[in-house]
Amino acid sequence: MTTNGDIMRTTMKSISLMAATMAVVGFGATAPALAEGSGSTSYQADLTQLNDSGASGTAWVTLDGNQATVKMDTKGLLEGAPHAQHIHIGGAGQCPDPDMEGSGVDGAIRTSDAMDDYGMIGASLTTKGGTSPDNGLDVKSFPTGDGHYERTFTVSDDVASSLKDGKAVVVLHGVDHNGSGKYDGDQMSDLDDSLPSEATDPAACGELTASQMSDMPQGGVETGDGTTAGIQDAGILAAGGALVAAGIVGTVVSRRRSARSEK
């Protein structure tokens, strides 16, 4: 004979099973979103001109451990000419005053003039080959003119730490000071005396600061926005499911009791 105790034990097992099922369904829908990119941090730099270059743009960096995905859109650069581009570290983590008096012709800012501000090369944003400081002047590996840049690569611990500390800066190089349409002139580069100074003078600069991913170009690595909304919704859904399950089982038990009392 089935007793009230048996019914209650069966009821509690049913509630637990259904609540667990509903919780799994609730969390299952959100788990991939929470897991994907959960260790990533995003940074953005708004690039503004130096040396009256007319160059500008936006750079985005997503860092996961030492793995960096860098995207950048630029405009106003000298068309058809390669433009060295780097993440600089080790300085004050800032761009120089665009009105500063440099050591170049007519007071142009040369790369070494602003090293106290943005530091040395930490990573070379090349399109192919190496990305270390040693690749800082690999002319054939840098983009030419305006456009979109995208590459994923491993950065050093120093670069990763500088990003996290807000001390990393993106610098674009290459300025046509005399308007000739190419890199030329009598003054040679302060980085490589085989190149004209125009080829390495800074054209634009931007400080990388922590940001949301919403402004990153489509196709970028998706990461969470740091809120707890997804977690809260999942918890509400699971709790709601348990209450619904309890209500269903409670109704069934009530009907069974009513049926028994009528016999």
Side-chain angles (χ1 to χ4, degrees), residues 137 188-197 199:
L137 293 178
M188 305 309 289
S189 169
D190 52 348
L191 302 182
D192 184 341
D193 59 12
S194 69
L195 298 173
S197 188

Side-chain angles (χ1 to χ4, degrees), residues 177-208:
H177 293 298
N178 59 18
S180 67
K182 59 182 180 180
Y183 297 145
D184 54 16
D186 295 331
Q187 188 173 53
M188 305 309 289
S189 169
D190 52 348
L191 302 182
D192 184 341
D193 59 12
S194 69
L195 298 173
S197 188
E198 288 188 341
T200 60
D201 288 350
C205 179
E207 299 151 11
L208 284 160

Side-chain angles (χ1 to χ4, degrees), residues 34-211:
L34 294 173
E36 183 180 6
S38 59
S40 299
T41 307
S42 303
Y43 305 89
Q44 180 174 325
D46 296 320
L47 308 175
T48 56
Q49 70 173 355
L50 293 174
N51 284 317
D52 296 321
S53 66
S56 63
T58 305
W60 300 266
V61 178
T62 302
L63 184 69
D64 189 348
N66 285 66
Q67 191 83 350
T69 294
V70 181
K71 296 187 178 186
M72 184 158 47
D73 290 325
T74 57
K75 61 182 179 180
L77 295 169
L78 178 60
E79 287 300 325
H83 290 271
Q85 50 188 27
H86 315 106
I87 296 177
H88 283 248
I89 62 173
Q94 64 187 25
C95 294
D97 182 345
D99 296 323
M100 74 176 290
E101 184 75 14
S103 60
V105 176
D106 297 327
I109 302 171
R110 307 175 82 191
T111 301
S112 57
D113 293 331
M115 283 186 177
D116 286 344
D117 292 306
Y118 50 57
M120 305 291 289
I121 297 173
S124 300
L125 305 181
T126 54
T127 58
K128 60 184 179 181
T131 56
S132 75
D134 292 338
N135 304 108
L137 293 178
D138 287 354
V139 177
K140 294 182 180 180
S141 297
F142 288 108
T144 57
D146 296 338
H148 176 74
Y149 171 84
E150 181 173 347
R151 190 173 184 186
T152 298
F153 56 93
T154 300
V155 297
S156 68
D157 290 342
D158 287 340
V159 172
S161 295
S162 295
L163 282 164
K164 294 172 184 176
D165 294 340
K167 297 291 186 179
V169 181
V170 174
V171 182
L172 304 181
H173 300 263
V175 184
D176 182 17
H177 293 298
N178 59 18
S180 67
K182 59 182 180 180
Y183 297 145
D184 54 16
D186 295 331
Q187 188 173 53
M188 305 309 289
S189 169
D190 52 348
L191 302 182
D192 184 341
D193 59 12
S194 69
L195 298 173
S197 188
E198 288 188 341
T200 60
D201 288 350
C205 179
E207 299 151 11
L208 284 160
T209 57
S211 69

